[in-house]
Amino acid sequence: MDDPELQDIRARHEARIARKLKGEYESAVLHLADLVNNNLETPARLASVRIDGATHTRKSFLASLIDPHITPFGASDTSTFGSVLRATRDIGHLLQKTDIFSSVNAKLEPSRDPLALPGDVDLTLLTRERGRLYLKTSTEVGNSEGNASATARVRNAFGGAETFEANVSVGTKTRRSFQASLSAPLTATLDTYGDLSVFAMDRDNSAFASCTEGLRGVKAVIRRGTRTAGQHEIGYEGVFRHIAGLVPSASIRSNSMGPRDAADSLGGDLFWATGFSLISDIPGRSHWPLKSHLFLNAGQLHPREPSQSFRQAVTSCVTQPSISAGVGIIYAFDPVRVELNFGVPLVATKSDGIRKGLQFGMGLEFL
């Protein structure tokens, strides 16, 4: 083990070296800043720009970003070193904005063109492209539904900062769904984008209506701006919806409040719901994640009759609630919550699809 006195001497020596290096670095930075500031008005022209590392990006797309910032030949009398620095900054910002590159580093050097004029400089941008392909699979269980999905995303799909994404899923209620979209910049400033997407979905509604629902659609959008400064968009969406596959309904539980036509729930125009829950520790087991609870829920789904005013419809909906109560145990592991309850309906309309007894649920949100 080293002598404590020697350790103290070594520490002081290292501290002096660190202070000296820090001072030299700060001095060099100040000198460089003075050098740049003193030459901002010096005549200079950005003669050419070269990008290294953009192996999957179209040259024509890069040229559309860069060309507006290159000073035309013969205009060197109006171009200065300061404008060259600003153009370098703007080009680097645009390349980062494309989301194609993970790093962009700039280097300025005197132009190597044999016809170059005094003050002409070349800009070299050393870049590294991001990974292009992203794949994800997932399964989700909750809110009385389970599904499995796969998502694929291709960045810079055609070499012009386009993004292609597709998602497909299968499940217990939403039997099949598919969505594919292509997004691409429309202007050299990257402030305007165009999005084109197609989608399809088949949903099983037999739990509350004797049918399945299918959607097929296409959507086109032009959007401009940023999320921080404000974004505007104009779009068109066309959807084809069909109801098919009539099947008998065995039991009506979820989505069964309000009026019905035989076994099919018809929905309504006004809806409200509220709930009260009292959660407590299991006696003698306060450290358990398992808790007991009492609950009381009330709500109503009400159609508005043509002969009713809006005020009459609201009054009728509020004053004729369906009410249920029960006890149970819950287990919460954020963000999923699992419940096992014994519940009974206290008040219900004739058309409500009621259930009583033990009920098991897993989901993200509960009333």
Side-chain angles (χ1 to χ4, degrees):
M1 182 177 293
D2 290 344
D3 186 275
E5 186 175 352
L6 291 177
Q7 291 182 355
D8 183 60
I9 293 173
R10 184 186 296 117
R12 290 199 301 268
H13 180 66
E14 291 176 349
R16 282 196 299 269
I17 294 176
R19 286 195 298 271
K20 182 178 179 181
L21 291 175
K22 182 180 179 181
E24 291 176 352
Y25 174 77
E26 292 176 348
S27 177
V29 170
L30 291 174
H31 178 70
L32 180 60
D34 290 339
L35 184 65
V36 170
N37 291 330
N38 292 335
N39 289 276
L40 290 178
E41 300 303 322
T42 301
R45 183 178 73 95
L46 185 59
S48 69
V49 178
R50 186 176 79 250
I51 299 179
D52 292 339
T55 55
H56 297 98
T57 306
R58 296 195 316 268
K59 292 183 179 180
S60 59
F61 172 70
L62 294 174
S64 70
L65 303 180
I66 293 169
D67 286 349
H69 300 278
I70 296 180
T71 306
F73 186 80
S76 58
D77 56 334
T78 62
S79 180
T80 65
F81 184 61
S83 62
V84 169
L85 291 179
R86 287 191 293 272
T88 301
R89 177 199 61 194
D90 293 342
I91 293 173
H93 174 71
L94 276 176
L95 294 181
Q96 293 280 16
K97 193 175 178 180
T98 63
D99 198 37
I100 296 174
F101 305 101
S102 60
S103 66
V104 177
N105 297 306
K107 180 175 68 172
L108 287 170
E109 55 188 359
S111 179
R112 299 179 181 179
D113 192 324
L115 302 178
L117 300 174
D120 285 1
V121 295
D122 294 339
L123 169 62
T124 302
L125 292 158
L126 307 176
T127 66
R128 177 177 295 178
E129 292 184 336
R130 297 179 184 272
R132 300 180 66 203
L133 186 61
Y134 170 83
L135 295 173
K136 176 185 176 182
T137 59
S138 65
T139 56
E140 299 177 1
V141 178
N143 297 326
S144 303
E145 182 174 9
N147 63 65
S149 66
T151 300
R153 185 185 305 124
V154 182
R155 179 188 283 111
N156 199 24
F158 305 109
E162 307 90 354
T163 300
F164 175 78
E165 183 170 337
N167 175 272
V168 61
S169 69
V170 295
T172 56
K173 290 186 178 179
T174 302
R175 295 301 177 93
R176 293 174 295 272
S177 71
F178 170 79
Q179 181 174 357
S181 64
L182 177 66
S183 175
L186 301 180
T187 61
T189 60
L190 304 181
D191 289 331
T192 304
Y193 274 74
D195 299 334
L196 180 65
S197 60
V198 295
F199 54 91
M201 182 190 73
D202 292 318
R203 185 171 178 82
D204 182 6
N205 295 333
S206 59
F208 59 93
S210 303
C211 65
T212 60
E213 179 183 7
L215 294 178
R216 306 288 185 271
V218 61
K219 183 177 181 180
V221 172
I222 296 177
R223 51 187 170 86
R224 180 177 176 83
T226 62
R227 293 180 178 178
T228 54
Q231 194 172 72
H232 306 277
E233 68 177 42
I234 181 172
Y236 172 80
E237 181 174 3
V239 179
F240 173 69
R241 179 173 182 264
H242 62 84
I243 305 295
L246 295 178
V247 295
S249 179
S251 177
I252 303 174
R253 293 178 181 271
S254 62
N255 298 295
S256 61
M257 182 177 287
R260 286 188 291 156
D261 179 9
D264 298 335
S265 293
L266 303 179
D269 303 303
L270 302 173
F271 170 76
W272 68 273
T274 186
F276 170 79
S277 182
L278 178 62
I279 301 174
S280 64
D281 297 329
I282 294 178
R285 296 292 184 269
S286 60
H287 59 285
W288 281 13
L290 204 63
K291 307 295 180 182
S292 63
H293 77 134
L294 304 172
F295 64 89
L296 179 69
N297 296 333
Q300 189 54 268
L301 177 67
H302 188 76
R304 181 181 176 184
E305 301 295 338
S307 59
Q308 284 184 314
S309 67
F310 179 74
R311 181 176 180 180
Q312 290 174 327
V314 171
T315 301
S316 179
C317 181
V318 172
T319 57
Q320 301 177 32
S322 296
I323 304 173
S324 63
V327 297
I329 55 176
I330 61 175
Y331 182 80
F333 47 103
D334 192 40
V336 180
R337 176 168 155 178
V338 179
E339 293 189 359
L340 180 62
N341 301 320
F342 181 84
V344 293
L346 302 180
V347 179
T349 64
K350 183 179 180 180
S351 60
D352 287 343
I354 62 174
R355 60 178 178 177
K356 59 182 177 180
L358 286 175
Q359 302 163 14
F360 174 80
M362 176 184 295
L364 302 178
E365 296 180 355
F366 289 86
L367 184 64

